[in-house]
Amino acid sequence: MKPLLLSLKDFVLLVLVCTMILISINQISHGLTASAFWEGVKDLGHSHLSLFLGVLFICIQLAAMQWSAFTLNIFLTITSTLLFALMVTLTFGPAVSLTPSVQHMAESAGIENILQDNSALYWLIPLAWFICLLGAKHQVRTFCMAIFCYALWVICTPMLNNVVADWAAQESPVLPQLLNILLGAGWMPAMALGCFLLIFSLFVDILDTLFPEKKKQKTTDKATDEAAG
């Protein structure tokens, strides 16, 4: 009975998170305010009903396959990164939280601060993070890994930009095709490093999900040997 209740809890949490993401994506182009978010909730029962039913069907499949907790773990990695980025933005500004190159790209696109036009993100990001925290496995490790990777991205992006500049200054740079890709846009090195760190943190979550029993079995065997000795 207890595993069934846990699966039901994870399913409900997963539906809530997916619904919040769905509404945010639909409304963010028009300005994601609190009123716009609740208007998006009403639209789920009308114009976006088929899309919501599709998301609900996927959540049912994930729960039936016992992958809902794993999916919440992935969402916890993403929302933890967004939560820390939100905190850094409120403290130091978007130029620090996004790194100067990405912030320059956003300003070129007319987006100086995405939070200004989407005020609902101030409470939606913490709320989504908390919901994911309730259902995810390895919460502390996932949260710490996400924060570590984000901090590494903020610190190492300027260093990577300097490396690319020195690389381009060489008379005959190696791997010129890769260099041309990185020089194609000022934000490309930051984006490449960010994608790598995000994939790395998600890969750690996948390993924790795929091999939990082996770790548990090793711990049990060790305890048994110590007791026998």
Side-chain angles (χ1 to χ4, degrees):
M1 187 66 180
K2 187 176 180 180
L4 179 61
L5 291 176
L6 290 175
S7 298
L8 181 60
K9 181 202 72 171
D10 293 341
F11 168 72
V12 172
L13 295 176
L14 185 60
V15 170
L16 288 175
V17 173
C18 290
T19 302
M20 291 172 61
I21 294 174
L22 178 62
I23 295 172
S24 299
I25 292 175
N26 287 332
Q27 299 296 120
I28 200 167
S29 60
H30 308 291
L32 185 59
T33 61
S35 58
F37 178 81
W38 294 117
E39 189 66 29
V41 174
K42 296 178 183 178
D43 287 343
L44 287 178
H46 299 88
S47 58
H48 299 103
L49 179 60
S50 58
L51 187 58
F52 174 71
L53 292 177
V55 172
L56 185 62
F57 179 72
I58 293 175
C59 293
I60 292 174
Q61 283 188 316
L62 291 173
M65 298 170 67
Q66 297 183 347
W67 285 4
S68 53
F70 166 63
T71 306
L72 286 169
N73 224 55
I74 293 178
F75 283 151
L76 179 61
T77 298
I78 298 173
T79 54
S80 296
T81 303
L82 292 175
L83 179 64
F84 196 65
L86 174 63
M87 296 169 61
V88 175
T89 301
L90 293 176
T91 305
F92 301 105
V96 176
S97 62
L98 296 178
T99 73
S101 56
V102 177
Q103 176 62 16
H104 179 70
M105 178 196 69
E107 291 176 352
S108 301
I111 307 173
E112 296 185 2
N113 189 343
I114 193 172
L115 296 175
Q116 292 178 352
D117 298 326
N118 302 278
S119 57
L121 293 177
Y122 284 110
W123 56 272
L124 278 175
I125 292 176
L127 179 59
W129 173 82
F130 181 72
I131 292 175
C132 294
L133 188 69
L134 293 177
K137 294 182 179 179
H138 317 294
Q139 294 98 329
V140 175
R141 180 163 47 194
T142 299
F143 177 73
C144 293
M145 177 62 69
I147 298 305
F148 172 76
C149 288
Y150 175 78
L152 198 63
W153 177 68
V154 172
I155 295 172
C156 293
T157 294
M159 299 180 186
L160 181 59
N161 289 330
N162 292 333
V163 170
V164 172
D166 294 339
W167 184 8
Q170 297 177 0
E171 294 184 0
S172 299
V174 296
L175 300 175
Q177 295 84 357
L178 178 60
L179 179 60
N180 290 334
I181 293 175
L182 294 177
L183 291 176
W187 48 265
M188 187 62 71
M191 192 66 66
L193 179 61
C195 290
F196 170 77
L197 291 173
L198 179 60
I199 292 173
F200 173 75
S201 59
L202 294 176
F203 182 70
V204 173
D205 290 337
I206 293 173
L207 289 181
D208 286 338
T209 302
L210 292 178
F211 306 105
E213 295 299 330
K214 291 186 177 181
K215 295 180 180 180
K216 184 178 180 180
Q217 186 64 35
K218 288 181 180 180
T219 304
T220 305
D221 294 342
K222 183 178 180 180
T224 304
D225 294 340
E226 291 178 352

